[in-house]
Amino acid sequence: MIDLVHELLEEQRERLYLFLRHLREDGQPFLTHSEVQRVWRDYEASRPSDGGPEAGLPLLVRHTQEAVFHDTQVVLAVRERVARWRYLQIHAEEMRARELDVSEFLGIKERVASGTVERGERYALELDLEPFERGFPKMHRAASIGRGVEFLNRHLSSRLFGGGGRGLQRLVDFLREHRVQGRPLLLNGTVETVPELKEVLREGARVLARRDPEGEAWCRELRQLGFEPGWGRTAARARETMDILSDLLEAPSASTLEDFLARVPMIFSIAILSPHGFLAQADVLGKPDTGGQVVYILDQVRALEAAMRSSIHEAGLDVEPRIVVLTRRIPEAQGTTCDQRIEPILGTENAIILRVPFRTRDGVEVRDWISRFEIWPWLERFAVDAERELLAELGGRPDFVIGNYSDGNLVASIMAHRLGITQCTIAHALEKTKYQDSDLRWRELEEEYHFSCQYTADLIAMNTADFIITSTYQEIAGTESTVGQYESYRAFTMPGLYRVVAGVDCFDPKFNIVSPGADPRVFFPYTQEERRMDEVRDEIRALVFGGPDDNSRGRLEDPGKPLLFAMSRLDRIKNMAGFLEAYGASDELRGHANLLLVGGHLNPALSNDREERTQIERTHALLDRYQLDGQVRWLELQTDKNRVGEFYRVVADTRGAFVQPALFEAFGLTVVEALSVGLPTFATCHGGPLEIIENGVSGYHIDPEDGREMVRPVTRFFQQTEDDPDLWQRISQGAMGRVRERYNWSLYAATLLKLSRIYGFWRYITSLEREETRRYLEMFYGLMYRPLARTAEGS
Ligand code: UDP
Ligand code: LCN
């Protein structure tokens, strides 16, 4: 990029000069990517075409993610390619350019943000994880991001097996030490070396060949040879497993190792952490800080338990899988079950929610709900208490721990370290990309949001995690033009606190995309008439086509029109009111379809969330302003999952569509739910839905930034379906095909278990790989996180 700038300085000096002047005239010290693009468009529109070469400057502009104005200098943060950044400083008068390193760039941002021209803090605290990671394998291609397990397994296999027999000996040690609930599995202590293992495998295969292939594998002869249970339930399967291991010992390779590990019974119990919000199975959606994450975790647990049970059974073991979801107990439970210690999870045989109190330093239980932004002072003690209760519940330590959201991930990180187990991290939604410049403006936001604690916790957990699963690629590394959520942790500054020069690396093989689905018992296709309950369908139809009462507003005057359905929490970012306004302003769309809104309360006094109250009032005002009561039906939020499933199907019966108009959506479970029932879906192009939906095949993208533009594709769709009735069917089929192929829970569970086996194995084999990183982060925890959390307690 610096070469490009030098070229521009030589060949298009005047054009560059004029454009930089335009940028500076905008008058703001910082410009975001979209602001730079806006200024560029204005600039291009304002100048007569000079017929000069076009390529260089537009390229630079397109890749500029941030512009900072410092004195006479313009500093550009240029994202050359996905997750690859350069920083360029251009003297806007003398027209000289030089490249900055990340630390210089962040230093300038700090100075500009604090309004001081003199040198900022020369010795700002810098967090730099790169030196610790030098020996660790990293990927190079953007296309590999999110497929870390394949890379890691290939890389470590070649290292392990490249070192002659020593690597294979470590594999034998792993098998010898492998156990469940204290009982040895696979091999007992008599087999010690690789040649011995090869020999007993040959003998074992011979023993099994003499048995009924479908009969039970386990027998006295196998034990005498040195085997323990776990090779397979039937003789045929156990023999296959032994053959795979023999192949691995003869000709070691990453793929044979993967095949073998897929057979090794390794995961019997899992702890899942999600401390904040109301985590229960009923009556919680709509409570503060309670949304898709709860739905995700409960569906995840059901899918994981089924997958674990089946793989344990296949391995021939009689062990009951255990999953414990750890959350916070809330004595003032607001009509939910969140005050109960244990809640069995429906649809599972053994999984439970285990609620552990938040306690003050004196040991007194905290009674009320605490916002996710205020949760930091409570977590360290919670981690220790939760661990104790977990160990008592399971009778031992779990095989791995999954953290959810920033708070759960921090607790998972503490617990995984104390117990010496594998840590998996799931973000759900990282606040950093939701609130613009929240790092730079941390001080002014501190009282309300405590982002200093949250981002510090994120950095710690992301870096201690053995593996991170994300729902989409863009969550890690964004798109050509947008920055990924994890990528935003690569380099940033919180002026006066610390500067991150190498925080999170998207090329780290710990990242894996494992996408969730929708509960297939509830979100099944609208065409599966035999599964639909008439009673529920009638109830939903009565609600949708009924008239106003305390919990609803509007009556659809022309019930024959297709329904356009939008359902979400009424947060500002979900932009339900934005869509309502665009619908109200579009006579054309109003002519084609009625609008069904589901979310929030009708009475703002019933909401204890400030943001939601504002959105409720705005929704009422828009319904009045555009006189929409005959075309829009607004129902309060729905908490009964079975009914929610039927809502989508009733909308599909009218040949309607689902709309998800969020300004930004981290993933978007409603989108997957709508696709699962076969409902054509229009969803935001900002965030996960951009990836979930293939535009024009399994739904459509909409851009919520401009209301008129947002409703245009929706109107066009309804117009086209009038001329081409098959269009609706094609998109509906495309939607269902998409979830079958990519977004379903059985695929999720199988992949997650595979990841936990492979990462768990490599963790055992290369246990010292990241020791230095962990020690560095422990210091960061003690010196940075802990005091910040204490300060948050006092505020
Ligand atoms: N939901 C619901 N009733 C409502 C609104 C939403 O059951 O009135 C459910 C919806 O079906 C989905 C979840 O809440 O399962 C929302 O998840 P999503 O990922 O779309 O958004 P989040 O709320 O997590 O931001
Ligand atoms: C949180 C969000 O904001 C949604 O976008 C996700 O779908 C949900 O969590 C589940 O991961």
Side-chain angles (χ1 to χ4, degrees):
M1 269 298 163
I2 188 73
D3 294 343
L4 174 68
V5 172
H6 284 308
E7 234 170 73
L8 287 172
L9 284 171
E10 288 211 344
E11 290 167 17
Q12 297 185 49
R13 192 182 182 83
E14 198 178 316
R15 205 166 159 216
L16 181 61
Y17 172 78
L18 288 173
F19 174 60
L20 293 181
R21 215 172 62 176
H22 237 76
L23 273 183
R24 289 170 74 203
E25 276 166 7
D26 208 69
Q28 302 175 54
F30 299 101
L31 291 182
T32 60
H33 175 70
S34 57
E35 288 163 340
V36 172
Q37 311 308 309
R38 173 181 48 78
V39 175
W40 170 251
R41 280 193 302 272
D42 293 350
Y43 165 73
E44 282 286 90
S46 69
R47 78 186 176 106
S49 168
D50 55 13
E54 292 292 323
L57 191 50
L59 190 71
L60 179 67
V61 172
R62 205 170 48 245
H63 290 273
T64 298
Q65 281 294 337
E66 271 181 86
V68 184
F69 302 92
H70 174 49
D71 243 355
T72 47
Q73 313 277 355
V74 180
V75 183
L76 305 179
V78 181
R79 187 171 175 262
E80 286 184 313
R81 279 175 285 137
V82 167
R84 299 280 189 212
W85 293 70
R86 305 293 276 267
Y87 304 97
L88 310 173
Q89 184 178 45
I90 308 173
H91 195 292
E93 281 162 15
E94 289 171 20
M95 297 301 282
R96 277 182 286 108
R98 86 179 176 95
E99 184 154 6
L100 304 179
D101 65 29
V102 58
S103 173
E104 286 175 299
F105 169 69
L106 294 175
I108 290 176
K109 277 183 87 170
E110 286 156 19
R111 266 176 270 153
V112 174
S114 67
T116 54
V117 198
E118 78 277 4
R119 285 220 154 282
E121 279 180 70
R122 195 181 282 262
Y123 296 113
L125 171 63
E126 287 197 341
L127 187 78
D128 184 358
L129 283 139
E130 211 171 74
F132 300 100
E133 301 273 308
R134 273 198 192 119
F136 202 81
K138 291 284 166 73
M139 304 179 303
H140 298 288
R141 293 173 51 241
S144 308
I145 293 175
R147 302 209 317 253
V149 76
E150 295 166 27
F151 171 86
L152 189 83
N153 195 41
R154 263 200 321 271
H155 183 93
L156 294 182
S157 296
S158 68
R159 246 168 55 180
L160 182 74
F161 302 134
R166 271 205 322 275
L168 290 177
Q169 183 57 45
R170 303 212 9 221
L171 176 64
V172 177
D173 296 341
F174 167 78
L175 297 174
R176 276 160 51 88
E177 283 175 35
H178 196 51
R179 40 193 68 232
V180 56
Q181 294 163 0
R183 283 179 5 227
L185 289 178
L186 302 172
L187 291 183
N188 60 35
T190 57
V191 180
E192 287 180 0
T193 63
V194 178
E196 279 170 21
L197 179 57
K198 284 184 180 170
E199 178 57 33
V200 294
L201 283 171
R202 269 193 295 274
E203 285 299 318
R206 260 183 234 128
V207 170
L208 287 165
R210 292 197 294 268
R211 297 175 68 86
D212 168 10
E214 289 314 305
E216 207 186 302
W218 187 237
C219 60
R220 202 164 36 86
E221 279 169 283
L222 287 180
R223 168 155 289 145
Q224 281 162 353
L225 285 170
F227 290 107
E228 290 290 332
W231 294 90
R233 183 175 57 83
T234 61
R237 186 163 173 97
R239 199 172 155 203
E240 266 169 35
T241 312
M242 289 184 187
D243 286 347
I244 297 173
L245 181 57
S246 296
D247 288 348
L248 184 63
L249 297 175
E250 284 310 321
S253 78
S255 66
T256 320
L257 177 67
E258 191 179 322
D259 291 347
F260 176 63
L261 291 180
R263 305 264 180 142
V264 176
M266 277 168 81
I267 310 296
F268 303 94
S269 61
I270 302 177
I272 297 180
L273 276 143
S274 181
H276 78 252
F278 289 78
L279 204 166
Q281 295 171 91
D283 303 323
V284 294
L285 289 174
K287 298 266 181 238
D289 292 345
T290 306
Q293 181 172 327
V294 172
V295 177
Y296 179 119
I297 291 172
L298 294 171
D299 286 349
Q300 173 199 42
V301 167
R302 279 185 275 268
L304 279 176
E305 195 198 71
M308 284 159 80
R309 171 161 290 113
S310 129
S311 85
I312 295 171
H313 178 72
E314 285 287 278
L317 298 174
D318 185 19
V319 178
E320 202 42 48
R322 294 295 314 270
I323 302 180
V324 177
V325 180
L326 286 152
T327 189
R328 186 214 148 184
R329 183 163 77 197
I330 310 175
E332 299 299 334
Q334 302 183 18
T336 69
T337 49
C338 293
D339 54 348
Q340 291 169 19
R341 182 171 177 270
I342 287 188
E343 182 173 325
I345 297 179
L346 300 170
T348 70
E349 287 181 34
N350 248 320
I352 57 165
I353 301 171
L354 175 60
R355 301 194 181 90
V356 178
F358 274 2
R359 290 194 189 280
T360 64
R361 256 178 252 153
D362 314 331
V364 178
E365 178 166 5
V366 181
R367 298 194 59 79
D368 289 308
W369 164 80
I370 293 179
S371 147
R372 70 188 194 278
F373 296 122
E374 308 277 341
I375 206 165
W376 312 105
W378 312 100
L379 294 181
E380 188 167 325
R381 173 152 191 174
F382 174 81
V384 177
D385 293 349
E387 177 191 308
R388 196 183 47 248
E389 295 207 26
L390 174 71
L391 294 181
E393 184 60 39
L394 292 177
R397 40 175 217 178
D399 297 304
F400 82 109
V401 54
I402 305 176
N404 292 275
Y405 192 71
S406 307
D407 56 341
N409 287 323
L410 185 74
V411 175
S413 164
I414 298 173
M415 211 180 250
H417 173 45
R418 287 167 55 97
L419 296 175
I421 55 179
T422 309
Q423 176 199 346
C424 164
T425 284
I426 306 176
H428 293 286
L430 292 167
E431 303 293 343
K432 194 157 168 297
T433 26
K434 269 202 222 162
Y435 295 80
Q436 196 179 327
D437 290 335
S438 54
D439 41 10
L440 210 55
R441 293 165 49 226
W442 73 276
R443 252 191 238 283
E444 64 186 89
L445 299 171
E446 190 64 0
E447 197 174 322
E448 194 172 350
Y449 293 107
H450 300 291
F451 286 139
S452 66
C453 297
Q454 183 150 9
Y455 301 163
T456 307
D458 285 339
L459 282 167
I460 294 170
M462 289 168 185
N463 280 293
T464 55
D466 292 288
F467 67 103
I468 294 178
I469 63 174
T470 70
S471 301
T472 57
Y473 179 97
Q474 65 80 34
E475 186 178 338
I476 314 170
T479 62
E480 275 280 287
S481 57
T482 60
V483 181
Q485 295 177 57
Y486 278 97
E487 188 183 359
S488 78
Y489 284 78
R490 188 192 55 89
F492 66 97
T493 178
M494 291 195 276
L497 195 61
Y498 60 85
R499 196 185 277 171
V500 179
V501 297
V504 168
D505 183 357
C506 296
F507 292 94
D508 194 306
K510 68 170 61 173
F511 284 104
N512 286 282
I513 304 162
V514 188
S515 307
D519 186 341
R521 299 168 311 168
V522 176
F523 301 102
F524 54 83
Y526 76 101
T527 45
Q528 295 185 358
E529 280 293 332
E530 66 293 354
R531 295 178 68 186
R532 295 177 67 175
M533 284 181 277
D534 289 341
E535 204 178 310
V536 181
R537 184 187 341 216
D538 293 346
E539 261 172 46
I540 304 300
R541 288 187 60 81
L543 261 179
V544 172
F545 297 106
D549 57 22
D550 286 353
N551 304 322
S552 69
R553 180 172 168 174
R555 180 193 296 277
L556 304 177
E557 280 164 7
D558 181 355
K561 280 188 203 159
L563 281 165
L564 201 46
F565 176 35
M567 176 180 72
S568 75
R569 291 182 286 118
L570 285 196
D571 276 5
R572 186 192 67 85
I573 203 129
K574 296 285 183 186
N575 197 33
M576 293 276 269
F579 187 79
L580 176 62
E581 178 153 27
Y583 173 84
S586 167
D587 288 340
E588 259 190 308
L589 183 54
R590 286 168 67 167
H592 283 295
N594 290 317
L595 179 60
L596 171 64
L597 292 180
V598 172
H601 296 281
L602 275 283
N603 177 359
L606 292 179
S607 169
N608 49 12
D609 182 313
R610 193 165 39 85
E611 203 172 307
E612 190 184 57
R613 277 198 300 275
T614 312
Q615 294 303 311
I616 294 171
E617 280 154 11
R618 193 167 158 220
T619 306
H620 280 299
L622 287 167
L623 290 170
D624 294 340
R625 168 141 49 105
Y626 290 98
Q627 299 185 357
L628 287 166
D629 280 293
Q631 286 168 310
V632 177
R633 177 90 173 127
W634 175 19
L635 302 172
E636 69 166 0
L637 68 112
Q638 299 294 311
T639 53
D640 181 331
K641 208 167 148 179
N642 289 306
R643 283 166 53 124
V644 168
E646 195 54 27
F647 260 98
Y648 292 105
R649 285 187 287 270
V650 163
V651 174
D653 292 338
T654 72
R655 293 294 178 269
F658 184 70
V659 189
Q660 214 283 14
L663 301 175
F664 178 78
E665 185 63 60
F667 178 66
L669 286 176
T670 52
V671 174
V672 175
E673 291 165 1
L675 301 187
S676 307
V677 304
L679 191 54
T681 298
F682 294 82
T684 180
C685 61
H686 299 294
L690 180 71
E691 210 168 308
I692 304 173
I693 288 175
E694 308 134 297
N695 197 34
V697 179
S698 43
Y700 298 90
H701 300 148
I702 50 173
D703 189 345
E705 258 158 41
D706 175 332
R708 245 187 325 182
E709 284 304 313
M710 169 163 59
V711 293
R712 211 188 292 280
V714 189
T715 312
R716 201 181 316 122
F717 174 74
F718 283 114
Q719 275 163 354
Q720 286 174 346
T721 49
E722 279 162 20
D723 301 337
D724 171 11
D726 288 348
L727 174 66
W728 194 96
Q729 285 295 351
R730 283 201 301 278
I731 300 294
S732 169
Q733 290 294 333
M736 293 187 283
R738 184 73 172 154
V739 293
R740 262 197 311 276
E741 177 196 309
R742 283 282 294 274
Y743 299 97
N744 62 77
W745 283 111
S746 46
L747 185 60
Y748 174 102
T751 316
L752 182 53
L753 289 184
K754 172 175 130 181
L755 295 182
S756 47
R757 285 189 195 104
I758 296 181
Y759 284 97
F761 172 75
W762 286 114
R763 194 171 191 283
Y764 172 89
I765 298 283
T766 61
S767 58
L768 295 179
E769 287 280 9
R770 294 205 188 197
E771 179 84 5
E772 298 86 343
T773 313
R774 196 177 53 70
R775 301 299 288 176
Y776 181 57
L777 291 165
E778 268 169 28
M779 187 148 62
F780 193 53
Y781 181 95
L783 299 179
M784 184 57 68
Y785 176 78
R786 204 179 265 146
L788 283 171
R790 282 209 188 112
T791 315
E793 189 176 4
S795 67

